Amino acid sequence: MDKFRMIFQFFQSNQESFMNGICGIMALASTQMYSAFDFNCPCLPHYNLAYGLGILLVPPFILFLLGFVLNNNISMLAEEWRRPQGQRGKDPAVLRYMFCSMAQRAMIAPAVWVSVTLLDGKCITCAFCTSVPVESLGNASHPHLSQGEIQRVLARIPCKEIYNGQQLIANEVAVRYLRCISQALGWCFVLLMTTLAFLVRSLRPCFSQAAFLKSRYWSHYIDIERKLFDETCAEHARSFAKVCIQQFFEGMSTDLVAARCHLPRKAPADAGEAAEKLLGITDQGTMNMALKSWHRCKPPLNLHPPALPTGNGWAGEGQPPTHPSAPRRETAAYYSWV
């Protein structure tokens, strides 16, 4: 249990580790889904190709979209891309980094599915069984069979129980031939994906390490800023609700006293603390205006003393920030007479 707890804490350490864990779980789930999938080739000339390629390509596409859906950064990317310019510029390099990072993680599960499917060989056997070279592997001069009948016989190669073309080509020979081709394609696909991942990981720092670090830093900043903003809004909502409830009960208590029902009144100890957390925003309209201002006009990324906010943004736009004057340095000199 301690090991699982440590793994879980590592996945929760930051957004990147969490998404790596999600992608790893999806990759394992894709292999389990394929092993539990009941593959049934239709064994018909006009349907084998569509069924085989559909099983090979459609689930990876679904897994790719699912990888984007499970990634929490997709909403953050869309929000950052569609928000107004405001007081903060939008860096296209950061948006590209976020999209590429999500796409790389979302491609893990589809790549695992395609690799497992090609190494298993059932999809390729079903899709291309009618393309087996009968001239070199079987008896192409078999009498009383037209070209259409030969295609129907070859289409039954994946279905060993109903295959009736042993005189034309042996079922074991055709299946082994197609499975070898499928496994060769699978290993080539694995080698290609591994090579691409190696090149991306090793060559990217050699060309744009500074730009990569900048994009990665501001991507993490946007994620942390969004989390802190949500936490601040949740804390403000809690304080707002607490003050509203306290005022409601105080009003009810006043009405009961006016009705000659003398009840003991005790001022809540945390009323002042909850009121301080409201930060002067004490009505619904002001809070809605603050939320709209955050979306339309985010503050610039500098740590100078901010200007006073207005209804549409920041009042001190375009004015240089005022720096505090440097403290005066005093020097003491000592003289000695010898």
Side-chain angles (χ1 to χ4, degrees):
M1 293 299 296
D2 294 337
K3 293 182 179 180
F4 286 107
R5 189 180 298 108
M6 291 176 61
I7 294 174
F8 187 71
Q9 291 177 356
F10 172 74
F11 286 157
Q12 285 188 328
S13 59
N14 53 59
Q15 183 70 15
E16 187 173 358
S17 300
F18 176 75
M19 290 314 305
N20 289 334
I22 291 295
C23 293
I25 293 174
M26 288 185 59
L28 294 176
S30 65
T31 58
Q32 293 297 323
M33 288 170 56
Y34 183 80
S35 61
F37 177 70
D38 189 10
F39 188 88
N40 292 314
C41 186
C43 296
L44 296 174
H46 301 290
Y47 297 95
N48 285 6
L49 181 63
Y51 182 82
L53 294 182
I55 297 300
L56 180 64
L57 300 178
V58 173
F61 181 72
I62 297 175
L63 291 173
F64 180 74
L65 295 181
L66 187 62
F68 272 100
V69 171
L70 294 179
N71 199 323
N72 188 33
N73 290 338
I74 185 65
S75 59
M76 184 175 63
L77 174 63
E79 179 183 352
E80 183 68 15
W81 178 51
R82 292 295 300 172
R83 72 171 177 85
Q85 189 76 13
Q87 298 292 328
R88 183 188 304 178
K90 293 184 287 187
D91 193 352
V94 177
L95 300 179
R96 285 195 301 267
Y97 171 81
M98 295 169 61
F99 178 79
C100 294
S101 179
M102 288 186 293
Q104 290 175 7
R105 292 184 175 90
M107 283 293 295
I108 296 177
V112 171
W113 177 277
V114 173
S115 302
V116 172
T117 304
L118 290 177
L119 292 175
D120 186 56
K122 292 180 182 178
C123 290
I124 297 298
T125 302
C126 179
F128 299 100
C129 58
T130 56
S131 302
V132 174
V134 182
E135 296 82 4
S136 57
L137 299 178
N139 184 15
S141 61
H142 193 274
H144 310 298
L145 287 179
S146 62
Q147 188 65 27
E149 293 174 345
I150 292 177
Q151 291 295 318
R152 284 193 295 270
V153 171
L154 294 178
R156 297 175 182 176
I157 289 177
C159 307
K160 188 176 181 179
E161 62 277 2
I162 62 174
Y163 181 69
N164 57 355
Q166 293 291 342
Q167 297 82 7
L168 182 64
I169 184 174
N171 182 271
E172 294 79 4
V173 174
V175 170
R176 181 166 297 186
Y177 172 78
L178 293 173
R179 184 166 293 178
C180 289
I181 295 178
S182 178
Q183 291 179 352
L185 293 175
W187 286 116
C188 290
F189 179 79
V190 172
L191 179 61
L192 178 62
M193 292 292 102
T194 306
T195 305
L196 288 178
F198 170 76
L199 292 177
V200 169
R201 289 288 186 177
S202 60
L203 297 182
R204 181 172 56 184
C206 299
F207 295 97
S208 58
Q209 179 67 9
F212 170 73
L213 290 176
K214 183 188 71 172
S215 302
R216 184 176 181 178
Y217 175 85
W218 290 116
S219 174
H220 291 333
Y221 173 83
I222 293 174
D223 181 36
I224 295 173
E225 184 187 50
R226 185 185 184 186
K227 290 181 180 179
L228 291 177
F229 183 78
D230 292 341
E231 293 175 1
T232 305
C233 289
E235 184 178 1
H236 183 276
R238 182 179 179 86
S239 302
F240 192 87
K242 183 181 293 185
V243 173
C244 285
I245 294 173
Q246 289 172 353
Q247 290 181 355
F248 169 75
F249 280 100
E250 288 176 359
M252 290 295 298
S253 177
T254 304
D255 294 340
L256 291 176
V257 171
R260 297 181 180 179
C261 295
H262 300 284
L263 297 176
R265 296 184 58 187
K266 182 178 180 181
D270 55 348
E273 181 182 356
E276 289 179 358
K277 292 182 179 180
L278 293 178
L279 301 176
I281 303 177
T282 57
D283 62 278
Q284 183 179 4
T286 307
M287 189 63 199
N288 291 337
M289 185 176 63
L291 295 175
K292 291 180 181 178
S293 177
W294 175 262
H295 173 70
R296 296 177 181 175
C297 185
K298 288 188 177 181
L301 295 178
N302 59 63
L303 298 180
H304 301 301
L308 294 177
T310 61
N312 297 324
W314 296 88
E317 181 182 1
Q319 298 179 2
T322 58
H323 298 278
S325 57
R328 187 179 60 182
R329 301 178 60 183
E330 297 181 357
T331 305
Y334 296 94
Y335 300 94
S336 61
W337 297 88
V338 180

